[in-house]
Structures are given as C-alpha cells and as structure tokens.
Amino acid sequence: ASISRGDLDSAAKFLNRVGDIREAEYVRGILDAKKGNYASAVSHFRKSNDPKAKQAIDQIADIENYKGAVTYR
C-alpha cells in the first residue's frame, strides 16, 4: 500500500523488517526501479526468482537502451 501511495521510504522500512523472502526481493526491485536505481532493481528481481521478474528486467533494459546505457539482458 505504501508503494501505491508513493511512500517509498515506508515501504523500504517494512521490507527491511520482512527479510530476504522471495516476494520481498521482488518488491525491492520495484522500489529501486521507481527510484531509477535500475542495476539494483535488476539484482533484486533476479534474486526473487519470480515469474514476473523477466518481464520487469526486460522493461528496465528497454528504458536503459532508450537512454543509451548498458543492457541487462
């Protein structure tokens, strides 16, 4: 709920209490992507091993490619 309200700091604090479970890693990826920390987001998505992670990584790669940066694929 914090993420949808744009309260990324509260979401991050909650995730720190949750630990390194798969779902938390995926949400950490979302948080980092929203903050523009794409390399960190990709790392969290990969750790999550979530089926949606590949799509998220592909979207980040598209953003980075558009900006002329290094790809993650």
Side-chain angles (χ1 to χ4, degrees):
S2 298
I3 295 174
S4 63
R5 290 192 317 266
D7 188 358
L8 304 183
D9 291 333
S10 290
K13 288 177 187 174
F14 173 76
L15 289 171
N16 286 337
R17 291 192 308 263
V18 172
D20 293 334
I21 62 173
R22 201 174 103 162
E23 293 85 357
E25 286 297 332
Y26 185 80
V27 176
R28 284 184 185 101
I30 293 171
L31 284 176
D32 279 342
K34 284 184 163 283
K35 293 177 181 178
N37 301 329
Y38 299 125
S40 181
V42 168
S43 176
H44 287 298
F45 287 137
R46 287 185 176 144
K47 287 180 191 174
S48 77
N49 204 24
D50 188 287
K52 298 174 286 196
K54 183 184 180 331
Q55 181 181 1
I57 292 168
D58 287 347
Q59 289 174 343
I60 289 172
D62 289 343
I63 291 167
E64 291 291 302
N65 286 336
Y66 179 77
K67 292 171 23 179
V70 177
T71 65
Y72 294 104
R73 292 185 188 172

Short mmCIF file of all heavy atoms in Angstrom, two decimals:
data_model
loop_
_atom_site.label_atom_id
_atom_site.label_comp_id
_atom_site.label_asym_id
_atom_site.label_seq_id
_atom_site.Cartn_x
_atom_site.Cartn_y
_atom_site.Cartn_z
N ALA A 1 0.83 -1.19 0.00
CA ALA A 1 0.00 0.00 0.00
C ALA A 1 0.86 1.25 0.00
O ALA A 1 0.51 2.23 -0.62
CB ALA A 1 -0.94 -0.01 1.19
N SER A 2 2.00 1.20 0.70
CA SER A 2 2.88 2.37 0.74
C SER A 2 3.38 2.74 -0.64
O SER A 2 3.49 3.92 -0.97
CB SER A 2 4.08 2.11 1.66
OG SER A 2 3.66 1.87 2.97
N ILE A 3 3.69 1.72 -1.44
CA ILE A 3 4.21 1.99 -2.79
C ILE A 3 3.16 2.69 -3.63
O ILE A 3 3.46 3.66 -4.33
CB ILE A 3 4.67 0.69 -3.47
CG1 ILE A 3 5.86 0.10 -2.73
CG2 ILE A 3 5.03 0.94 -4.93
CD1 ILE A 3 6.29 -1.25 -3.23
N SER A 4 1.92 2.22 -3.57
CA SER A 4 0.87 2.82 -4.39
C SER A 4 0.58 4.26 -3.97
O SER A 4 0.14 5.06 -4.78
CB SER A 4 -0.40 1.98 -4.34
OG SER A 4 -0.91 1.93 -3.03
N ARG A 5 0.88 4.60 -2.72
CA ARG A 5 0.71 5.98 -2.25
C ARG A 5 1.94 6.82 -2.55
O ARG A 5 1.95 8.02 -2.30
CB ARG A 5 0.44 6.00 -0.75
CG ARG A 5 -0.89 5.46 -0.33
CD ARG A 5 -1.19 5.78 1.14
NE ARG A 5 -0.07 5.57 2.05
CZ ARG A 5 0.17 4.47 2.74
NH1 ARG A 5 -0.64 3.44 2.64
NH2 ARG A 5 1.20 4.39 3.55
N GLY A 6 3.00 6.17 -3.04
CA GLY A 6 4.23 6.89 -3.33
C GLY A 6 5.14 7.04 -2.12
O GLY A 6 6.13 7.75 -2.17
N ASP A 7 4.80 6.37 -1.03
CA ASP A 7 5.60 6.43 0.20
C ASP A 7 6.66 5.34 0.16
O ASP A 7 6.55 4.30 0.81
CB ASP A 7 4.69 6.28 1.42
CG ASP A 7 5.41 6.52 2.73
OD1 ASP A 7 6.64 6.78 2.70
OD2 ASP A 7 4.75 6.45 3.78
N LEU A 8 7.69 5.58 -0.64
CA LEU A 8 8.72 4.58 -0.85
C LEU A 8 9.57 4.33 0.39
O LEU A 8 10.04 3.22 0.61
CB LEU A 8 9.60 4.98 -2.04
CG LEU A 8 8.86 5.23 -3.36
CD1 LEU A 8 9.85 5.55 -4.47
CD2 LEU A 8 7.97 4.08 -3.73
N ASP A 9 9.76 5.37 1.21
CA ASP A 9 10.55 5.19 2.43
C ASP A 9 9.87 4.24 3.41
O ASP A 9 10.52 3.37 3.99
CB ASP A 9 10.81 6.54 3.11
CG ASP A 9 11.75 7.42 2.31
OD1 ASP A 9 12.58 6.88 1.56
OD2 ASP A 9 11.65 8.66 2.44
N SER A 10 8.56 4.37 3.58
CA SER A 10 7.83 3.46 4.47
C SER A 10 7.86 2.03 3.94
O SER A 10 8.00 1.07 4.69
CB SER A 10 6.38 3.91 4.65
OG SER A 10 6.33 5.09 5.40
N ALA A 11 7.73 1.90 2.64
CA ALA A 11 7.78 0.57 2.03
C ALA A 11 9.15 -0.07 2.26
O ALA A 11 9.24 -1.26 2.59
CB ALA A 11 7.48 0.66 0.53
N ALA A 12 10.21 0.71 2.11
CA ALA A 12 11.57 0.18 2.32
C ALA A 12 11.77 -0.24 3.77
O ALA A 12 12.37 -1.29 4.04
CB ALA A 12 12.60 1.23 1.92
N LYS A 13 11.26 0.54 4.71
CA LYS A 13 11.38 0.19 6.13
C LYS A 13 10.65 -1.12 6.42
O LYS A 13 11.16 -1.96 7.16
CB LYS A 13 10.84 1.32 7.01
CG LYS A 13 11.73 2.53 7.04
CD LYS A 13 11.11 3.64 7.85
CE LYS A 13 11.94 4.91 7.73
NZ LYS A 13 11.31 6.06 8.38
N PHE A 14 9.47 -1.27 5.86
CA PHE A 14 8.72 -2.51 6.05
C PHE A 14 9.50 -3.70 5.49
O PHE A 14 9.61 -4.74 6.13
CB PHE A 14 7.34 -2.41 5.39
CG PHE A 14 6.59 -3.70 5.41
CD1 PHE A 14 5.98 -4.14 6.57
CD2 PHE A 14 6.52 -4.50 4.28
CE1 PHE A 14 5.30 -5.35 6.61
CE2 PHE A 14 5.85 -5.71 4.30
CZ PHE A 14 5.24 -6.13 5.47
N LEU A 15 10.04 -3.53 4.30
CA LEU A 15 10.79 -4.63 3.67
C LEU A 15 12.03 -5.01 4.46
O LEU A 15 12.42 -6.17 4.48
CB LEU A 15 11.16 -4.26 2.23
CG LEU A 15 9.98 -4.22 1.27
CD1 LEU A 15 10.42 -3.63 -0.06
CD2 LEU A 15 9.38 -5.59 1.09
N ASN A 16 12.64 -4.05 5.13
CA ASN A 16 13.80 -4.36 5.97
C ASN A 16 13.42 -5.27 7.13
O ASN A 16 14.20 -6.11 7.54
CB ASN A 16 14.45 -3.08 6.49
CG ASN A 16 15.22 -2.35 5.42
OD1 ASN A 16 15.65 -2.94 4.44
ND2 ASN A 16 15.39 -1.05 5.60
N ARG A 17 12.20 -5.11 7.63
CA ARG A 17 11.73 -5.96 8.73
C ARG A 17 11.34 -7.34 8.24
O ARG A 17 11.43 -8.31 8.97
CB ARG A 17 10.54 -5.31 9.44
CG ARG A 17 10.91 -4.06 10.21
CD ARG A 17 9.80 -3.61 11.12
NE ARG A 17 8.52 -3.46 10.47
CZ ARG A 17 8.00 -2.32 10.00
NH1 ARG A 17 8.69 -1.20 10.12
NH2 ARG A 17 6.81 -2.30 9.43
N VAL A 18 10.91 -7.44 7.00
CA VAL A 18 10.44 -8.72 6.45
C VAL A 18 11.58 -9.69 6.20
O VAL A 18 11.43 -10.89 6.39
CB VAL A 18 9.66 -8.47 5.14
CG1 VAL A 18 9.33 -9.77 4.44
CG2 VAL A 18 8.40 -7.68 5.41
N GLY A 19 12.71 -9.19 5.75
CA GLY A 19 13.84 -10.06 5.46
C GLY A 19 13.98 -10.34 3.98
O GLY A 19 13.46 -9.61 3.14
N ASP A 20 14.66 -11.42 3.66
CA ASP A 20 15.03 -11.72 2.28
C ASP A 20 14.14 -12.77 1.61
O ASP A 20 14.62 -13.57 0.82
CB ASP A 20 16.48 -12.18 2.22
CG ASP A 20 17.44 -11.07 2.58
OD1 ASP A 20 17.08 -9.90 2.40
OD2 ASP A 20 18.54 -11.38 3.05
N ILE A 21 12.87 -12.76 1.93
CA ILE A 21 11.98 -13.70 1.26
C ILE A 21 11.79 -13.29 -0.20
O ILE A 21 12.01 -12.13 -0.57
CB ILE A 21 10.62 -13.83 1.98
CG1 ILE A 21 9.89 -12.50 2.01
CG2 ILE A 21 10.80 -14.41 3.37
CD1 ILE A 21 8.48 -12.59 2.55
N ARG A 22 11.41 -14.24 -1.00
CA ARG A 22 11.29 -14.04 -2.45
C ARG A 22 10.40 -12.86 -2.82
O ARG A 22 10.77 -12.03 -3.65
CB ARG A 22 10.71 -15.33 -3.03
CG ARG A 22 10.94 -15.54 -4.47
CD ARG A 22 10.43 -16.89 -4.83
NE ARG A 22 9.15 -16.68 -5.49
CZ ARG A 22 8.55 -17.56 -6.25
NH1 ARG A 22 9.06 -18.76 -6.39
NH2 ARG A 22 7.44 -17.29 -6.85
N GLU A 23 9.26 -12.77 -2.19
CA GLU A 23 8.31 -11.69 -2.51
C GLU A 23 8.90 -10.33 -2.16
O GLU A 23 8.68 -9.35 -2.87
CB GLU A 23 6.99 -11.91 -1.77
CG GLU A 23 6.21 -13.11 -2.24
CD GLU A 23 6.65 -14.42 -1.56
OE1 GLU A 23 7.61 -14.41 -0.76
OE2 GLU A 23 6.03 -15.45 -1.87
N ALA A 24 9.63 -10.27 -1.04
CA ALA A 24 10.23 -9.01 -0.64
C ALA A 24 11.30 -8.57 -1.63
O ALA A 24 11.43 -7.38 -1.93
CB ALA A 24 10.82 -9.13 0.76
N GLU A 25 12.07 -9.52 -2.16
CA GLU A 25 13.08 -9.18 -3.16
C GLU A 25 12.43 -8.57 -4.40
O GLU A 25 12.93 -7.61 -4.97
CB GLU A 25 13.91 -10.40 -3.54
CG GLU A 25 14.90 -10.83 -2.49
CD GLU A 25 15.97 -9.78 -2.19
OE1 GLU A 25 16.33 -8.97 -3.06
OE2 GLU A 25 16.43 -9.77 -1.03
N TYR A 26 11.30 -9.14 -4.81
CA TYR A 26 10.61 -8.61 -5.99
C TYR A 26 10.15 -7.17 -5.73
O TYR A 26 10.34 -6.29 -6.57
CB TYR A 26 9.42 -9.50 -6.35
CG TYR A 26 8.75 -9.08 -7.62
CD1 TYR A 26 9.28 -9.43 -8.86
CD2 TYR A 26 7.59 -8.31 -7.61
CE1 TYR A 26 8.69 -9.03 -10.04
CE2 TYR A 26 6.99 -7.91 -8.78
CZ TYR A 26 7.54 -8.26 -9.99
OH TYR A 26 6.95 -7.85 -11.16
N VAL A 27 9.58 -6.93 -4.56
CA VAL A 27 9.10 -5.59 -4.23
C VAL A 27 10.28 -4.62 -4.09
O VAL A 27 10.17 -3.46 -4.49
CB VAL A 27 8.21 -5.61 -2.97
CG1 VAL A 27 7.79 -4.21 -2.57
CG2 VAL A 27 6.98 -6.47 -3.20
N ARG A 28 11.40 -5.09 -3.55
CA ARG A 28 12.59 -4.24 -3.51
C ARG A 28 13.01 -3.83 -4.93
O ARG A 28 13.45 -2.71 -5.15
CB ARG A 28 13.74 -4.96 -2.81
CG ARG A 28 13.61 -5.02 -1.32
CD ARG A 28 14.83 -5.67 -0.67
NE ARG A 28 14.60 -5.83 0.75
CZ ARG A 28 14.24 -6.96 1.34
NH1 ARG A 28 14.11 -8.07 0.63
NH2 ARG A 28 14.03 -7.01 2.64
N GLY A 29 12.87 -4.75 -5.86
CA GLY A 29 13.16 -4.42 -7.25
C GLY A 29 12.25 -3.33 -7.77
O GLY A 29 12.70 -2.40 -8.45
N ILE A 30 10.99 -3.42 -7.42
CA ILE A 30 10.04 -2.38 -7.84
C ILE A 30 10.43 -1.03 -7.23
O ILE A 30 10.44 -0.01 -7.92
CB ILE A 30 8.60 -2.77 -7.44
CG1 ILE A 30 8.14 -3.98 -8.25
CG2 ILE A 30 7.64 -1.59 -7.61
CD1 ILE A 30 6.83 -4.59 -7.79
N LEU A 31 10.75 -1.04 -5.94
CA LEU A 31 11.16 0.21 -5.28
C LEU A 31 12.38 0.83 -5.95
O LEU A 31 12.39 2.03 -6.24
CB LEU A 31 11.48 -0.05 -3.81
CG LEU A 31 10.33 -0.23 -2.85
CD1 LEU A 31 10.85 -0.57 -1.46
CD2 LEU A 31 9.48 1.02 -2.79
N ASP A 32 13.39 0.01 -6.19
CA ASP A 32 14.60 0.54 -6.83
C ASP A 32 14.32 1.04 -8.24
O ASP A 32 14.86 2.07 -8.65
CB ASP A 32 15.71 -0.50 -6.84
CG ASP A 32 16.44 -0.58 -5.51
OD1 ASP A 32 16.33 0.38 -4.71
OD2 ASP A 32 17.11 -1.58 -5.26
N ALA A 33 13.47 0.34 -8.98
CA ALA A 33 13.13 0.79 -10.33
C ALA A 33 12.41 2.13 -10.27
O ALA A 33 12.70 3.03 -11.07
CB ALA A 33 12.27 -0.26 -11.03
N LYS A 34 11.50 2.29 -9.31
CA LYS A 34 10.79 3.57 -9.17
C LYS A 34 11.75 4.71 -8.83
O LYS A 34 11.51 5.85 -9.20
CB LYS A 34 9.70 3.48 -8.10
CG LYS A 34 8.48 2.73 -8.55
CD LYS A 34 7.42 2.76 -7.45
CE LYS A 34 6.07 2.41 -7.97
NZ LYS A 34 5.43 3.48 -8.71
N LYS A 35 12.84 4.38 -8.12
CA LYS A 35 13.82 5.39 -7.76
C LYS A 35 14.86 5.61 -8.86
O LYS A 35 15.71 6.47 -8.75
CB LYS A 35 14.55 4.98 -6.48
CG LYS A 35 13.65 4.97 -5.26
CD LYS A 35 14.43 4.47 -4.05
CE LYS A 35 13.57 4.41 -2.81
NZ LYS A 35 14.33 3.88 -1.65
N GLY A 36 14.80 4.80 -9.93
CA GLY A 36 15.76 4.93 -11.02
C GLY A 36 17.05 4.17 -10.79
O GLY A 36 18.00 4.32 -11.55
N ASN A 37 17.09 3.35 -9.74
CA ASN A 37 18.27 2.52 -9.44
C ASN A 37 18.13 1.19 -10.17
O ASN A 37 17.88 0.15 -9.56
CB ASN A 37 18.40 2.30 -7.93
CG ASN A 37 18.52 3.59 -7.15
OD1 ASN A 37 19.05 4.57 -7.65
ND2 ASN A 37 18.02 3.59 -5.94
N TYR A 38 18.30 1.22 -11.47
CA TYR A 38 17.97 0.06 -12.30
C TYR A 38 18.88 -1.13 -12.07
O TYR A 38 18.41 -2.27 -12.07
CB TYR A 38 17.94 0.45 -13.77
CG TYR A 38 16.90 1.51 -14.07
CD1 TYR A 38 17.23 2.70 -14.71
CD2 TYR A 38 15.57 1.32 -13.69
CE1 TYR A 38 16.27 3.66 -14.97
CE2 TYR A 38 14.61 2.28 -13.95
CZ TYR A 38 14.97 3.45 -14.59
OH TYR A 38 14.02 4.39 -14.84
N ALA A 39 20.17 -0.92 -11.88
CA ALA A 39 21.07 -2.05 -11.65
C ALA A 39 20.69 -2.80 -10.38
O ALA A 39 20.65 -4.03 -10.35
CB ALA A 39 22.52 -1.58 -11.59
N SER A 40 20.39 -2.05 -9.34
CA SER A 40 19.96 -2.67 -8.09
C SER A 40 18.61 -3.36 -8.26
O SER A 40 18.39 -4.46 -7.72
CB SER A 40 19.88 -1.61 -6.98
OG SER A 40 19.49 -2.19 -5.77
N ALA A 41 17.72 -2.74 -9.01
CA ALA A 41 16.40 -3.34 -9.26
C ALA A 41 16.55 -4.69 -9.95
O ALA A 41 15.91 -5.68 -9.55
CB ALA A 41 15.54 -2.40 -10.10
N VAL A 42 17.40 -4.73 -10.96
CA VAL A 42 17.62 -5.99 -11.69
C VAL A 42 18.16 -7.05 -10.75
O VAL A 42 17.72 -8.21 -10.78
CB VAL A 42 18.56 -5.76 -12.89
CG1 VAL A 42 19.03 -7.08 -13.47
CG2 VAL A 42 17.85 -4.94 -13.96
N SER A 43 19.08 -6.67 -9.88
CA SER A 43 19.64 -7.61 -8.92
C SER A 43 18.55 -8.19 -8.02
O SER A 43 18.49 -9.40 -7.79
CB SER A 43 20.72 -6.92 -8.08
OG SER A 43 21.20 -7.79 -7.09
N HIS A 44 17.67 -7.35 -7.52
CA HIS A 44 16.57 -7.82 -6.67
C HIS A 44 15.60 -8.70 -7.46
O HIS A 44 15.14 -9.73 -6.94
CB HIS A 44 15.82 -6.65 -6.04
CG HIS A 44 16.57 -5.97 -4.96
ND1 HIS A 44 16.96 -6.60 -3.79
CD2 HIS A 44 17.04 -4.70 -4.86
CE1 HIS A 44 17.60 -5.75 -3.02
NE2 HIS A 44 17.68 -4.59 -3.66
N PHE A 45 15.29 -8.32 -8.68
CA PHE A 45 14.39 -9.14 -9.49
C PHE A 45 14.98 -10.53 -9.71
O PHE A 45 14.28 -11.53 -9.62
CB PHE A 45 14.08 -8.48 -10.83
CG PHE A 45 13.15 -7.30 -10.72
CD1 PHE A 45 13.40 -6.14 -11.44
CD2 PHE A 45 12.01 -7.34 -9.93
CE1 PHE A 45 12.55 -5.05 -11.36
CE2 PHE A 45 11.15 -6.25 -9.84
CZ PHE A 45 11.42 -5.10 -10.55
N ARG A 46 16.27 -10.58 -9.99
CA ARG A 46 16.91 -11.88 -10.20
C ARG A 46 16.90 -12.72 -8.93
O ARG A 46 16.67 -13.93 -8.97
CB ARG A 46 18.33 -11.70 -10.71
CG ARG A 46 18.34 -11.24 -12.15
CD ARG A 46 19.74 -11.16 -12.71
NE ARG A 46 19.68 -10.81 -14.13
CZ ARG A 46 20.55 -10.05 -14.75
NH1 ARG A 46 21.59 -9.55 -14.09
NH2 ARG A 46 20.41 -9.77 -16.03
N LYS A 47 17.16 -12.11 -7.79
CA LYS A 47 17.13 -12.83 -6.51
C LYS A 47 15.74 -13.36 -6.20
O LYS A 47 15.59 -14.38 -5.54
CB LYS A 47 17.58 -11.92 -5.37
CG LYS A 47 19.04 -11.62 -5.33
CD LYS A 47 19.35 -10.71 -4.15
CE LYS A 47 20.74 -10.16 -4.22
NZ LYS A 47 20.98 -9.16 -3.16
N SER A 48 14.72 -12.64 -6.64
CA SER A 48 13.35 -13.03 -6.32
C SER A 48 12.94 -14.33 -7.00
O SER A 48 12.07 -15.03 -6.51
CB SER A 48 12.37 -11.93 -6.71
OG SER A 48 12.13 -11.93 -8.11
N ASN A 49 13.55 -14.60 -8.15
CA ASN A 49 13.17 -15.79 -8.92
C ASN A 49 11.67 -15.83 -9.19
O ASN A 49 11.07 -16.89 -9.30
CB ASN A 49 13.65 -17.06 -8.20
CG ASN A 49 13.82 -18.21 -9.14
OD1 ASN A 49 14.02 -18.03 -10.33
ND2 ASN A 49 13.73 -19.42 -8.61
N ASP A 50 11.07 -14.66 -9.29
CA ASP A 50 9.63 -14.54 -9.53
C ASP A 50 9.37 -14.66 -11.03
O ASP A 50 10.14 -14.15 -11.84
CB ASP A 50 9.15 -13.18 -9.02
CG ASP A 50 7.65 -13.04 -9.06
OD1 ASP A 50 7.10 -12.89 -10.18
OD2 ASP A 50 7.03 -13.08 -8.00
N PRO A 51 8.29 -15.33 -11.43
CA PRO A 51 7.98 -15.47 -12.86
C PRO A 51 7.83 -14.13 -13.58
O PRO A 51 8.10 -14.02 -14.77
CB PRO A 51 6.67 -16.24 -12.88
CG PRO A 51 6.58 -16.92 -11.56
CD PRO A 51 7.35 -16.06 -10.59
N LYS A 52 7.42 -13.08 -12.84
CA LYS A 52 7.24 -11.75 -13.45
C LYS A 52 8.55 -10.99 -13.57
O LYS A 52 8.61 -9.96 -14.21
CB LYS A 52 6.26 -10.93 -12.63
CG LYS A 52 4.86 -11.53 -12.55
CD LYS A 52 4.00 -10.73 -11.62
CE LYS A 52 4.43 -11.05 -10.21
NZ LYS A 52 3.53 -10.69 -9.16
N ALA A 53 9.61 -11.51 -12.95
CA ALA A 53 10.88 -10.79 -12.91
C ALA A 53 11.47 -10.59 -14.31
O ALA A 53 12.03 -9.54 -14.60
CB ALA A 53 11.87 -11.50 -12.00
N LYS A 54 11.37 -11.59 -15.17
CA LYS A 54 11.93 -11.45 -16.52
C LYS A 54 11.29 -10.28 -17.25
O LYS A 54 11.99 -9.49 -17.90
CB LYS A 54 11.78 -12.72 -17.32
CG LYS A 54 12.45 -12.59 -18.70
CD LYS A 54 12.24 -13.78 -19.57
CE LYS A 54 12.89 -13.67 -20.92
NZ LYS A 54 13.05 -12.37 -21.53
N GLN A 55 10.00 -10.14 -17.13
CA GLN A 55 9.31 -9.03 -17.79
C GLN A 55 9.79 -7.69 -17.22
O GLN A 55 10.03 -6.74 -17.96
CB GLN A 55 7.80 -9.15 -17.64
CG GLN A 55 7.04 -8.03 -18.32
CD GLN A 55 5.54 -8.15 -18.13
OE1 GLN A 55 5.06 -9.06 -17.48
NE2 GLN A 55 4.82 -7.23 -18.70
N ALA A 56 9.96 -7.63 -15.91
CA ALA A 56 10.43 -6.40 -15.28
C ALA A 56 11.85 -6.06 -15.75
O ALA A 56 12.15 -4.91 -16.06
CB ALA A 56 10.39 -6.53 -13.76
N ILE A 57 12.71 -7.07 -15.81
CA ILE A 57 14.09 -6.85 -16.27
C ILE A 57 14.09 -6.41 -17.74
O ILE A 57 14.84 -5.51 -18.12
CB ILE A 57 14.93 -8.12 -16.07
CG1 ILE A 57 15.13 -8.38 -14.56
CG2 ILE A 57 16.28 -8.01 -16.79
CD1 ILE A 57 15.71 -9.74 -14.23
N ASP A 58 13.24 -7.00 -18.54
CA ASP A 58 13.14 -6.60 -19.95
C ASP A 58 12.69 -5.15 -20.08
O ASP A 58 13.19 -4.40 -20.93
CB ASP A 58 12.18 -7.51 -20.71
CG ASP A 58 12.75 -8.89 -20.97
OD1 ASP A 58 13.97 -9.09 -20.78
OD2 ASP A 58 11.95 -9.79 -21.34
N GLN A 59 11.76 -4.72 -19.22
CA GLN A 59 11.29 -3.34 -19.27
C GLN A 59 12.40 -2.37 -18.87
O GLN A 59 12.56 -1.31 -19.47
CB GLN A 59 10.07 -3.16 -18.38
CG GLN A 59 8.85 -3.84 -18.95
CD GLN A 59 7.66 -3.79 -18.02
OE1 GLN A 59 7.79 -3.54 -16.83
NE2 GLN A 59 6.48 -4.06 -18.56
N ILE A 60 13.18 -2.75 -17.86
CA ILE A 60 14.31 -1.92 -17.46
C ILE A 60 15.33 -1.85 -18.59
O ILE A 60 15.88 -0.77 -18.89
CB ILE A 60 14.95 -2.44 -16.16
CG1 ILE A 60 14.02 -2.17 -14.98
CG2 ILE A 60 16.32 -1.81 -15.92
CD1 ILE A 60 14.45 -2.80 -13.68
N ALA A 61 15.59 -2.98 -19.23
CA ALA A 61 16.52 -2.99 -20.35
C ALA A 61 16.04 -2.06 -21.46
O ALA A 61 16.85 -1.34 -22.06
CB ALA A 61 16.69 -4.41 -20.88
N ASP A 62 14.75 -2.05 -21.72
CA ASP A 62 14.20 -1.14 -22.73
C ASP A 62 14.42 0.32 -22.35
O ASP A 62 14.78 1.14 -23.19
CB ASP A 62 12.70 -1.40 -22.95
CG ASP A 62 12.43 -2.71 -23.65
OD1 ASP A 62 13.36 -3.28 -24.26
OD2 ASP A 62 11.27 -3.18 -23.58
N ILE A 63 14.23 0.64 -21.07
CA ILE A 63 14.46 2.01 -20.60
C ILE A 63 15.93 2.37 -20.77
O ILE A 63 16.28 3.43 -21.30
CB ILE A 63 14.05 2.16 -19.12
CG1 ILE A 63 12.53 2.05 -18.98
CG2 ILE A 63 14.55 3.50 -18.55
CD1 ILE A 63 12.06 1.88 -17.54
N GLU A 64 16.80 1.48 -20.32
CA GLU A 64 18.24 1.75 -20.42
C GLU A 64 18.69 1.84 -21.87
O GLU A 64 19.53 2.68 -22.20
CB GLU A 64 19.03 0.66 -19.68
CG GLU A 64 18.84 0.70 -18.18
CD GLU A 64 19.48 1.92 -17.55
OE1 GLU A 64 20.69 2.12 -17.70
OE2 GLU A 64 18.74 2.68 -16.90
N ASN A 65 18.17 0.97 -22.72
CA ASN A 65 18.53 1.03 -24.14
C ASN A 65 18.07 2.34 -24.77
O ASN A 65 18.77 2.93 -25.59
CB ASN A 65 17.94 -0.15 -24.91
CG ASN A 65 18.66 -1.44 -24.61
OD1 ASN A 65 19.82 -1.45 -24.22
ND2 ASN A 65 17.96 -2.54 -24.76
N TYR A 66 16.90 2.80 -24.36
CA TYR A 66 16.38 4.06 -24.87
C TYR A 66 17.30 5.21 -24.47
O TYR A 66 17.56 6.12 -25.24
CB TYR A 66 14.97 4.31 -24.34
CG TYR A 66 14.37 5.60 -24.81
CD1 TYR A 66 13.87 5.72 -26.10
CD2 TYR A 66 14.31 6.70 -23.96
CE1 TYR A 66 13.33 6.92 -26.54
CE2 TYR A 66 13.77 7.90 -24.39
CZ TYR A 66 13.29 8.00 -25.68
OH TYR A 66 12.75 9.18 -26.11
N LYS A 67 17.83 5.13 -23.26
CA LYS A 67 18.72 6.17 -22.76
C LYS A 67 20.14 5.99 -23.27
O LYS A 67 21.01 6.81 -23.03
CB LYS A 67 18.73 6.17 -21.23
CG LYS A 67 17.41 6.62 -20.65
CD LYS A 67 17.25 6.46 -19.16
CE LYS A 67 18.46 6.40 -18.32
NZ LYS A 67 18.20 6.27 -16.88
N GLY A 68 20.41 4.85 -23.96
CA GLY A 68 21.74 4.60 -24.50
C GLY A 68 22.71 4.00 -23.50
O GLY A 68 23.91 4.06 -23.68
N ALA A 69 22.16 3.37 -22.46
CA ALA A 69 23.02 2.79 -21.42
C ALA A 69 23.27 1.31 -21.71
O ALA A 69 22.82 0.77 -22.72
CB ALA A 69 22.36 2.96 -20.05
N VAL A 70 23.96 0.65 -20.80
CA VAL A 70 24.29 -0.76 -20.91
C VAL A 70 23.02 -1.60 -20.76
O VAL A 70 22.14 -1.26 -19.99
CB VAL A 70 25.29 -1.15 -19.81
CG1 VAL A 70 25.62 -2.62 -19.85
CG2 VAL A 70 26.54 -0.30 -19.94
N THR A 71 22.95 -2.71 -21.46
CA THR A 71 21.79 -3.58 -21.36
C THR A 71 21.96 -4.59 -20.24
O THR A 71 23.08 -4.88 -19.82
CB THR A 71 21.53 -4.34 -22.67
OG1 THR A 71 22.62 -5.21 -22.90
CG2 THR A 71 21.34 -3.40 -23.83
N TYR A 72 20.86 -5.16 -19.78
CA TYR A 72 20.84 -6.15 -18.71
C TYR A 72 20.42 -7.51 -19.20
O TYR A 72 20.29 -8.43 -18.44
CB TYR A 72 19.89 -5.72 -17.59
CG TYR A 72 20.37 -4.49 -16.89
CD1 TYR A 72 19.79 -3.25 -17.13
CD2 TYR A 72 21.42 -4.55 -15.98
CE1 TYR A 72 20.23 -2.12 -16.49
CE2 TYR A 72 21.86 -3.42 -15.33
CZ TYR A 72 21.26 -2.21 -15.57
OH TYR A 72 21.70 -1.10 -14.93
N ARG A 73 20.15 -7.67 -20.47
CA ARG A 73 19.64 -8.94 -20.98
C ARG A 73 20.72 -9.96 -21.15
O ARG A 73 21.82 -9.78 -21.32
CB ARG A 73 18.93 -8.73 -22.32
CG ARG A 73 17.68 -7.95 -22.12
CD ARG A 73 16.93 -7.86 -23.40
NE ARG A 73 15.83 -6.93 -23.15
CZ ARG A 73 15.05 -6.48 -24.06
NH1 ARG A 73 15.18 -6.83 -25.29
NH2 ARG A 73 14.07 -5.67 -23.78
#
